[in-house]
Amino acid sequence: MDAEVAAALWQVEAAFVAHPAREVLESLTPRQGPVVVAEIDPLALVLGLGETIGAPDDVRALTPWLLRAVVSDDRVDLHTVLSRIAAFWGDWTTAERTAVRDFVDTLWVALLDRHPGPVATLPVATAVSFLDDASGLGDGPGRLIGIWEYKDTASADHHLAELVVDAYYGARVDPEVLVWARDRPQRERLERAAARDRGEPWAGDLAAALDVLDATPPH
């Protein structure tokens, strides 16, 4: 696990230290007995937590466990976990919400810093899939777009080119992200990247994205 991701998980655990997790949860499903957290299938726990398994407070207490599962169990997807958290975090503290958002931001930075993927310690391999998963929190993409603008690296540029092309071929992309990606500053960013990386294996991806943008009026 990347040191940055491990540190973000530690910050999550510190933020929720006042809410110790129960080892055994009640089940509201007929004919199912108490649920032992250490023994249940992680995906089944994520899908039922706070509704058919345990109580809403258990979502809060198990948030560190849920986020750790995202990067340690490929059956547990980021969108499902974030949607589960967002459904119950209305009365959580600012520190608790911030720790969750900081964890998401750390995963995002780790993704932007690497291309091509997938990376074993990250839940998704593309910016398109990450932005879709992160929408589970209901925050909108503005914060993540801001981080992307700050990450002036070849890998982040490659992710941008990939998103432009994927959107052209029908990938689901938030309209706000799509407007941003097609705007003149991003077009100029990709032009600089194409000139800088013209000898790299991904130069064709940058050229393809510029071809798509050439057919799209800038904003």
Side-chain angles (χ1 to χ4, degrees):
M1 183 182 299
D2 289 351
E4 296 85 356
V5 175
L9 282 170
W10 183 88
Q11 292 293 339
V12 171
E13 291 172 356
F16 288 85
V17 70
H19 307 281
R22 296 191 291 163
E23 296 180 359
V24 180
L25 307 177
E26 63 275 9
S27 171
L28 302 182
T29 302
R31 298 186 299 277
Q32 180 175 338
V35 173
V36 179
V37 173
E39 297 176 357
I40 190 175
D41 176 75
L43 181 58
L45 179 56
V46 171
L47 293 174
L49 189 60
E51 294 179 349
T52 60
I53 300 174
D57 284 346
D58 291 307
V59 178
R60 191 178 201 172
L62 284 168
T63 286
W65 183 94
L66 293 172
L67 296 180
R68 186 173 294 279
V70 165
V71 295
S72 62
D73 192 322
D74 58 11
R75 295 170 299 167
V76 180
D77 70 278
L78 181 62
H79 188 277
T80 299
V81 167
L82 296 182
S83 297
R84 179 64 51 183
I85 289 171
F88 293 96
W89 75 346
D91 61 349
W92 294 9
T93 67
T94 299
E96 290 163 353
R97 292 189 184 198
T98 298
V100 173
R101 290 188 172 106
D102 286 350
F103 172 77
V104 173
D105 292 354
T106 298
L107 289 182
W108 178 233
V109 169
L111 177 68
L112 292 179
D113 282 345
R114 292 160 179 80
H115 203 290
V119 178
T121 56
L122 299 179
V124 294
T126 70
V128 171
S129 55
F130 190 99
L131 290 166
D132 186 54
D133 280 6
S135 69
L137 275 186
D139 285 342
R143 188 180 74 256
L144 300 181
I145 288 175
I147 294 172
W148 206 345
E149 290 178 340
Y150 175 77
K151 296 296 292 184
D152 187 16
T153 62
S155 57
D157 294 341
H158 193 177
H159 278 293
L160 175 58
E162 188 176 65
L163 179 140
V164 168
V165 173
D166 286 353
Y168 177 77
Y169 284 106
R172 182 175 62 185
V173 178
D174 185 289
E176 182 180 344
V177 175
L178 197 54
V179 168
W180 171 82
R182 291 173 173 171
D183 207 356
R184 188 174 301 279
Q186 280 56 255
R187 182 187 301 260
E188 294 172 350
R189 173 177 181 167
L190 289 176
E191 289 172 349
R192 293 192 300 270
R196 180 194 63 214
D197 298 342
R198 56 183 176 273
E200 299 293 346
W202 57 85
D205 295 338
L206 298 171
L210 287 170
D211 287 343
V212 169
L213 292 178
D214 284 342
T216 307
H219 293 82

